[in-house]
Amino acid sequence: MESGVPVCHTCGEHVGLNGNGEPFVACHDCNFPICKTCFDYELKEGRKACLRCGNPYDENRLDDAEKASGDRSTIAAHMDKSQDAGIHARHISSVSTLDSEMTEDNGNPIWKNRVESWKEKKNKKKKTSIKVEIEAQVPPEQLMEDKPAADAFQPLSTVIPIPKSRLAPYRTVIIMRLIILGLFFHYRVTNPVDSAFALWLTSVICEIWFAFSWVLDQFPKWYPINRDTYIDRLSARYEREGEPSELAAVDFFVSTVDPLKEPPLITANTVLSILALDYPVDKVSCYVSDDGAAMLSFESLVETADFARKWVPFCKKFSIEPRAPEFYFSQKIDYLKDKVQSSFVKERRAMKRDYEEFKIRINALVAKAQKTPEEGWTMQDGTPWPGNNTRDHPGMIQVFLGYSGARDVDGNELPRLVYVSREKRPGYQHHKKAGAENALVRVSAVLTNAPFILNLDCDHYVNNSKAVREAMCFLMDPEVGRDVCYVQFPQRFDGIDRSDRYANRNTVFFDVNMKGLDGIQGPVYVGTGCVFNRQALYGYGPTSMPSLSKSSSSSCSWCGCCSCCCPGKKAPKDPSELYRDAKRQELDAAIFNLREIDNYDDYERSMLISQRSFEKTFGLSSVFIESTIMENGGVAESASPSTLIKEAIHVISCGYEEKTEWGKEIGWIYGSVTEDILTGFKMHCRGWRSIYCMPLRPAFKGSAPINLSDRLHQVLRWALGSVEIFLSRHCPLWYGFGGGRLKWLQRMAYINTIVYPFTSLPLIAYCTLPAICLLTGRFIIPTLSNLASVSFLGLFLSIIVTAVLELRWSGVSIEDLWRNEQFWVIGGVSAHLFAVFQGFLKMLAGIDTNFTVTAKAAEDAEFGELYIVKWTTLLIPPTTLLIINMVGVVAGFSDALNKGYEAWGPLFGKVFFSFWVILHLYPFLKGLMGRQNRTPTIVVLWSVLLASVFSLVWVRINPFINTVDSTTVAQTCTSIDC
């Protein structure tokens, strides 16, 4: 990969270099990117004017091209006999090289002969098409008149770097903070506290770990960037007037499990917002995965499909936002703003009435499903519901819209809507959400096979109808999209209390950390609101990434690029990495040859698939394997819908993934409850990069648990997934070093995502230290000298200045930063602590932990869930810490009153740290008390018990009474004259 060399607009390859070692430029007026091969072909066809600006090419350039073409006439004639003139010589040579390599490795002359015969048939077909194209060639004059708009050739997106005036001071303070940290630790290590050595040693270990965690979190934010998209240019390039839309198709995945915990009305709104997107209807397909096989989900989707026939044309006619009816009708804004059609008010009232009736029907279904009949559910035709046994049922697929021919009330076509429930049988591992997503990948590949996939949780609706177009500005840009595995959107939420008590919005993560990662190799995958390149999910590397051959395995140790950056460094590769790379190259080679072959019959196709061992990778489905070859998606026109449905049922069978690479190298990766982090990590290790897209209007919005217990359980699940990855073979500490495709700062960010739960151990110890110091009268820091005081002051100032400068370039408010800090402590001493122990129990002892799905709906009263306290063991550690520190503060002041004026100075430092703990746990205390002080009795009992036992132990030691030698007492007593 030549760094900085532009990409040819015609063929997508690098333009190459001229004789002076500079990038080749054909037109010096507009610098239109075109490679030397395509430039020569344009001249050969008689086009001597630039395609963009229309100015004639430089005469010197034309003369050089004519001379070069004369010298290569013999070679060109030979090439024309075997390949068409539009294909580059380097492509032809690469094909022949791959063929020869495979022949040498496999030793199969039959395979070689078959490939050659198929190529001959393809070459004959190409020759005929070229002759027809030349005969119907448009004159250059007419081409100049009909040339497309200038916007069609402009970049579809741009990178907006953070101004140096904001970024330079930020980086400077980070470096200064590192230096101050070094001085701080030098003082701490060289000045132990002999009277409280154990407390001092514990505090130093905790502080070193905190500094390590800060480095992991801070340096991936070294290159933050912003991005901007140009949707109008996307339309100018791919939606020309009078021509069919050339925008890429997108398959939407919506996942749901339990309709009683994930209300069907919420899922219905998500589906409706997808069907009403501002995107060509024939390019949109929505797949709803019902992993609980609930008849309630099926029936609610039937009602949703029927209501969509009215809702979709209403949205597109009046361009409303958002296009989820529940959230559109609940907006407290002037809905008449920017509306000019006189019929809008009347139709809006009618639509709202229809939606209220739709809600009544959905709620009736929910009420009916509260009690399951003894004989199980029965469908309308009298047959039993196949999913009555949720753990033992066949696969189910139902196409509601699209193929069935259903149209909206105006007679227009609607996007496809497909219900999918994969087969489940006892004795099979189904891998929860990751397995359901992989089943949707296969079903969608068989039925529609869109080149891009967008997955959403059932509670995340489309808030911006142009969100897909925003993503296409990256994925369909020939210069940017070649290396992009996915485009991640930030998560935004509705229904959160105004103060965001438990940091549900995760503003610091989405607006600070993710922007920093976007400047390196791209943001991590967060599980929803993400548009995937289907080829990346199939385990392939990016097309521009050089293959890892035996002769070129070097890579840059810092940036992770190819060996041209750092030619002197070699990346070590273990045997397992070499084996996986070899298998992937073998698969890529076979795919490349398949793309070069058009005319082959069914027998040849089956032989080809068997020959290249595709079945060992993708499973026993020739239809699905054939779909993986098509980079631009689509299904065969000759395939009948009934045949495709049968094949789709086959690929969601519970035994389909056995002895394949599903969940290991392709699709969503198994092995962790946070499959999202693992899936994105594998893609980045293959050399892909991701994009962070933040449109002004949030692309998607969802709901978050505002209840304290639910929020802690959600954080527990995330932390447990990180611990599982840490203990697996996919740990970023040692996985993916082969090839150097993962940049070091990106690796540092992934390491931070899997080690942060372990911060709970030093954090809970550090939060206990202030109380111990107050109860024992000792302190972890000796008497400070002037130099030590300066280092301590400098450290606190650097922390504050770093935060202020970070807020300055990111735009995050100080309240969001403070809430994030508070919940970091709350989650660290509760959910993260439990996740560490549960993770070790699961990985070492095989004790699995089942998680309940987080509730998606709140009480009818505004923020009613916020004040409900639900019993969970996660509440015990932070409650205990609060009580201990409060007791410690009281004991400290009592001791100072007894000892007099001299004790108040040391007391200040101890009380400061104790109040630091209490302030960080204050939102937890508010949530624990609830609206009417209804704290669960068991929480109070356990917390008081632990705090009392801890306090009594220290009272038994008599921490406030000076220890007096018994000999001295005896001597004093004998000297008294009774």
Side-chain angles (χ1 to χ4, degrees):
M1 292 169 53
E2 296 91 0
S3 177
V5 178
V7 176
C8 176
H9 186 273
T10 303
C11 65
E13 295 293 329
H14 289 294
V15 298
L17 305 177
N18 58 20
N20 299 327
E22 299 176 351
F24 175 77
V25 178
C27 177
H28 292 280
D29 295 328
C30 65
N31 292 330
F32 179 65
I34 184 171
C35 67
K36 189 70 169 63
T37 307
C38 293
F39 176 67
D40 292 341
Y41 182 72
E42 291 291 319
L43 297 181
K44 182 181 176 182
E45 295 299 323
R47 293 187 285 269
K48 298 184 179 181
C50 177
L51 294 176
R52 175 186 289 176
C53 64
N55 295 331
Y57 292 123
D58 186 13
E59 294 182 0
N60 295 330
R61 180 72 66 189
L62 296 176
D63 294 338
D64 294 341
E66 290 176 359
K67 291 179 181 179
S69 62
D71 295 337
R72 297 193 304 267
S73 57
T74 306
I75 300 176
H78 177 71
M79 295 284 287
D80 287 340
K81 293 180 181 178
S82 58
Q83 294 289 335
D84 104 28
I87 298 181
H88 292 195
R90 55 179 175 273
H91 283 183
I92 300 166
S93 62
S94 63
V95 175
S96 61
T97 302
L98 290 170
D99 291 343
S100 62
E101 288 178 358
M102 287 185 291
T103 304
E104 290 174 3
D105 294 340
N106 300 330
N108 192 342
I110 300 176
W111 166 252
K112 180 179 178 181
N113 294 335
R114 186 181 297 124
V115 170
E116 293 298 333
S117 64
W118 285 335
K119 283 184 178 180
E120 288 179 3
K121 288 190 285 185
K122 182 178 179 181
N123 292 337
K124 292 178 182 179
K125 181 179 179 182
K126 282 189 174 182
K127 282 185 179 182
T128 306
S129 62
I130 292 170
K131 186 179 295 185
V132 173
E133 183 180 350
I134 293 175
E135 290 176 356
Q137 185 67 48
V138 180
E141 295 80 6
Q142 185 177 347
L143 182 65
M144 292 293 297
E145 294 175 0
D146 298 338
K147 104 182 148 194
D151 284 349
F153 297 104
Q154 297 297 322
L156 302 180
S157 63
T158 184
V159 175
I160 305 176
I162 304 296
K164 292 184 178 180
S165 60
R166 297 185 178 183
L167 204 55
Y170 176 67
R171 292 173 176 173
T172 303
V173 171
I174 292 174
I175 299 299
M176 292 178 60
R177 184 171 172 181
L178 275 177
I179 297 173
I180 295 172
L181 270 176
L183 297 174
F184 171 79
F185 283 120
H186 178 268
Y187 171 80
R188 294 284 283 131
V189 172
T190 56
N191 292 272
V193 181
D194 297 329
S195 60
F197 185 80
L199 298 179
W200 167 83
L201 182 61
T202 302
S203 66
V204 171
I205 294 174
C206 293
E207 289 162 1
I208 292 175
W209 179 264
F210 295 151
F212 172 70
S213 300
W214 171 76
V215 170
L216 290 180
D217 180 70
Q218 186 67 64
F219 278 90
K221 297 182 283 191
W222 192 261
Y223 299 103
I225 61 171
N226 293 311
R227 295 182 184 271
D228 196 9
T229 56
Y230 304 103
I231 299 179
D232 52 343
R233 296 179 183 176
L234 179 75
S235 300
R237 180 177 295 186
Y238 296 108
E239 291 183 302
R240 297 173 183 173
E241 188 175 355
E243 299 180 8
S245 174
E246 297 180 2
L247 290 173
V250 182
D251 288 337
F252 285 78
F253 294 173
V254 179
S255 304
T256 183
V257 180
D258 188 349
L260 297 180
K261 294 181 179 179
E262 300 170 320
L265 188 62
I266 300 294
T267 305
N269 272 269
T270 300
V271 172
L272 289 169
S273 68
I274 294 172
L275 298 179
L277 274 171
D278 181 11
Y279 208 71
V281 292
D282 59 323
K283 307 287 186 178
V284 177
S285 301
C286 180
Y287 293 83
V288 179
S289 170
D290 177 20
D291 218 32
M295 187 172 174
L296 173 58
S297 299
F298 179 83
E299 291 181 331
S300 64
L301 206 59
V302 174
E303 294 289 346
T304 303
D306 184 61
F307 180 71
R309 298 178 65 247
K310 304 175 183 178
W311 175 251
V312 172
F314 171 76
C315 294
K316 295 188 175 183
K317 181 178 181 181
F318 299 107
S319 301
I320 66 169
E321 295 283 0
R323 300 190 176 182
E326 180 69 23
F327 302 95
Y328 169 70
F329 290 121
S330 62
Q331 289 183 116
K332 298 178 181 179
I333 61 173
D334 181 12
Y335 61 84
L336 296 177
K337 185 179 180 181
D338 299 330
K339 297 295 183 292
V340 295
Q341 300 187 43
S342 57
S343 61
F344 172 69
V345 175
K346 180 180 179 180
E347 293 193 32
R348 185 183 186 277
R349 289 173 180 169
M351 183 56 60
K352 188 174 183 180
R353 183 171 57 252
D354 291 338
Y355 177 65
E356 294 298 330
E357 295 175 357
F358 167 74
K359 288 174 64 176
I360 292 173
R361 294 194 297 270
I362 294 293
N363 291 332
L365 293 174
V366 173
K368 175 184 174 183
Q370 296 298 320
K371 186 177 181 180
T372 305
E374 294 182 0
E375 65 278 6
W377 296 107
T378 304
M379 294 187 289
Q380 291 183 354
D381 58 359
T383 58
W385 172 247
N388 278 325
N389 188 343
T390 57
R391 298 183 179 180
D392 187 3
H393 65 83
M396 295 177 282
I397 296 177
Q398 176 65 47
V399 181
F400 291 106
L401 303 175
Y403 286 119
S404 61
R407 295 180 177 269
D408 62 27
V409 292
D410 295 337
N412 299 316
E413 184 182 354
L414 287 169
R416 298 175 182 86
L417 177 60
V418 185
Y419 170 87
V420 180
S421 181
R422 57 181 173 144
E423 181 186 20
K424 287 190 176 181
R425 301 296 182 190
Y428 288 92
Q429 180 61 261
H430 300 293
H431 302 289
K432 300 180 180 179
K433 181 182 177 181
E437 295 288 350
N438 284 337
L440 288 183
V441 171
R442 296 191 294 271
V443 169
S444 62
V446 172
L447 297 181
T448 52
N449 195 32
F452 301 110
I453 294 172
L454 195 159
N455 83 295
L456 290 173
D457 288 343
C458 66
D459 62 325
H460 274 69
Y461 65 92
V462 181
N463 183 65
N464 184 347
S465 62
K466 298 183 183 296
V468 179
R469 294 178 180 270
E470 297 275 357
M472 290 302 115
C473 286
F474 301 105
L475 295 169
M476 296 189 69
D477 192 319
E479 295 187 11
V480 178
R482 300 169 45 146
D483 300 333
V484 176
C485 55
Y486 60 82
V487 175
Q488 178 67 59
F489 291 89
Q491 292 186 20
R492 305 299 187 206
F493 301 98
D494 288 321
I496 297 178
D497 56 299
R498 297 175 185 87
S499 63
D500 193 13
R501 180 185 294 178
Y502 306 124
N504 281 284
R505 292 190 177 93
N506 284 325
T507 308
V508 174
F509 174 75
F510 286 112
D511 290 8
V512 181
N513 296 70
M514 296 287 266
K515 284 184 179 180
L517 290 177
D518 199 19
I520 308 172
Q521 201 173 341
V524 298
Y525 169 44
V526 297
T528 183
C530 185
V531 186
F532 283 98
N533 183 336
R534 188 183 283 268
Q535 294 294 311
L537 284 172
Y538 289 156
Y540 303 135
T543 56
S544 62
M545 179 63 63
S547 61
L548 299 174
S549 62
K550 297 177 182 178
S551 60
S552 62
S553 60
S554 58
S555 63
C556 177
S557 60
W558 178 256
C559 66
C561 297
C562 58
S563 58
C564 61
C565 299
C566 306
K569 296 188 178 181
K570 297 283 182 179
K573 296 186 67 175
D574 56 80
S576 61
E577 283 288 330
L578 287 170
Y579 174 76
R580 284 194 295 270
D581 288 335
K583 296 297 289 182
R584 192 175 296 120
Q585 288 184 53
E586 181 181 347
L587 188 61
D588 287 340
I591 289 292
F592 190 86
N593 281 320
L594 273 175
R595 295 191 185 114
E596 292 296 309
I597 299 168
D598 284 344
N599 299 326
Y600 51 91
D601 54 28
D602 294 337
Y603 173 74
E604 290 171 332
R605 181 188 299 110
S606 62
M607 288 292 294
L608 176 63
I609 292 172
S610 175
Q611 178 72 30
R612 299 313 305 162
S613 301
F614 277 90
E615 294 174 349
K616 294 181 181 179
T617 302
F618 295 113
L620 300 173
S621 173
S622 59
V623 176
F624 173 74
I625 292 174
E626 216 174 323
S627 70
T628 64
I629 303 165
M630 307 174 185
E631 279 191 2
N632 298 323
V635 296
E637 296 180 358
S638 59
S640 63
S642 59
T643 304
L644 294 179
I645 291 294
K646 291 179 181 178
E647 194 67 26
I649 291 290
H650 168 60
V651 298
I652 60 172
S653 59
C654 55
Y656 182 84
E657 294 183 356
E658 288 191 344
K659 298 180 180 180
T660 66
E661 295 297 320
W662 284 101
K664 302 173 186 176
E665 295 295 330
I666 62 177
W668 270 256
I669 306 302
Y670 304 149
S672 171
V673 294
T674 52
E675 69 289 328
D676 45 8
I677 295 177
L678 205 51
T679 302
F681 173 64
K682 294 276 284 187
M683 292 181 181
H684 283 137
C685 286
R686 297 189 187 108
W688 292 96
R689 70 156 294 123
S690 53
I691 298 290
Y692 196 48
C693 182
M694 295 182 64
L696 293 178
R697 180 179 180 86
F700 310 100
K701 279 191 175 182
S703 59
I706 61 174
N707 177 265
L708 176 60
S709 301
D710 291 340
R711 172 68 166 144
L712 290 177
H713 274 284
Q714 183 188 55
V715 174
L716 171 64
R717 178 183 178 276
W718 296 343
L720 179 59
S722 296
V723 175
E724 290 174 343
I725 297 174
F726 177 82
L727 298 174
S728 71
R729 72 180 184 92
H730 291 118
C731 179
L733 287 170
W734 52 73
Y735 183 85
F737 279 96
R741 295 179 174 181
L742 186 68
K743 298 182 181 180
W744 275 102
L745 288 180
Q746 191 79 14
R747 183 180 297 278
M748 190 180 293
Y750 274 111
I751 292 174
N752 186 42
T753 62
I754 57 115
V755 301
Y756 78 88
F758 296 96
T759 306
S760 60
L761 300 175
L763 183 61
I764 199 168
Y766 209 71
C767 289
T768 310
L769 286 176
I772 296 177
C773 292
L774 287 167
L775 291 171
T776 60
R778 298 168 181 172
F779 200 38
I780 59 177
I781 300 175
T783 303
L784 296 178
S785 62
N786 292 334
L787 182 61
S789 301
V790 171
S791 66
F792 273 76
L793 182 62
L795 179 61
F796 283 113
L797 287 178
S798 65
I799 293 173
I800 295 172
V801 174
T802 304
V804 170
L805 293 177
E806 195 167 87
L807 298 179
R808 187 166 173 253
W809 67 255
S810 65
V812 175
S813 67
I814 191 171
E815 182 182 7
D816 290 328
L817 181 65
W818 174 236
R819 290 294 183 219
N820 183 76
E821 287 293 321
Q822 286 180 313
F823 197 78
W824 174 74
V825 175
I826 295 171
V829 299
S830 56
H832 298 173
L833 181 67
F834 278 78
V836 171
F837 289 108
Q838 290 183 8
F840 276 98
L841 285 175
K842 180 177 180 180
M843 303 303 292
L844 300 180
I847 301 176
D848 198 359
T849 305
N850 293 322
F851 288 95
T852 56
V853 180
T854 306
K856 306 298 184 184
E859 297 292 323
D860 291 337
E862 187 179 17
F863 311 131
E865 279 282 324
L866 181 66
Y867 305 101
I868 297 177
V869 182
K870 305 175 184 177
W871 157 243
T872 173
T873 52
L874 298 178
L875 301 178
I876 295 178
T879 307
T880 305
L881 282 176
L882 273 170
I883 295 176
I884 289 177
N885 278 276
M886 290 179 179
V887 170
V889 170
V890 174
F893 276 102
S894 301
D895 182 44
L897 289 172
N898 292 331
K899 289 184 176 180
Y901 176 76
E902 294 180 355
W904 288 96
L907 177 67
F908 175 76
K910 303 172 188 177
V911 171
F912 171 80
F913 285 110
S914 190
F915 271 112
W916 179 89
V917 176
I918 295 173
L919 282 176
H920 278 76
L921 294 177
Y922 179 68
F924 173 84
L925 181 62
K926 288 182 65 177
L928 195 66
M929 302 306 295
R931 175 177 278 168
Q932 300 174 355
N933 299 332
R934 294 178 298 177
T935 304
T937 306
I938 191 169
V939 175
V940 177
L941 289 177
W942 271 101
S943 303
V944 171
L945 177 63
L946 292 176
S948 301
V949 169
F950 186 82
S951 303
L952 288 173
V953 169
W954 289 109
V955 170
R956 176 66 183 84
I957 302 174
N958 295 326
F960 306 131
I961 301 177
N962 293 329
T963 303
V964 182
D965 191 1
S966 60
T967 306
T968 306
V969 174
Q971 293 176 356
T972 305
C973 291
T974 56
S975 63
I976 298 176
D977 188 2
C978 298

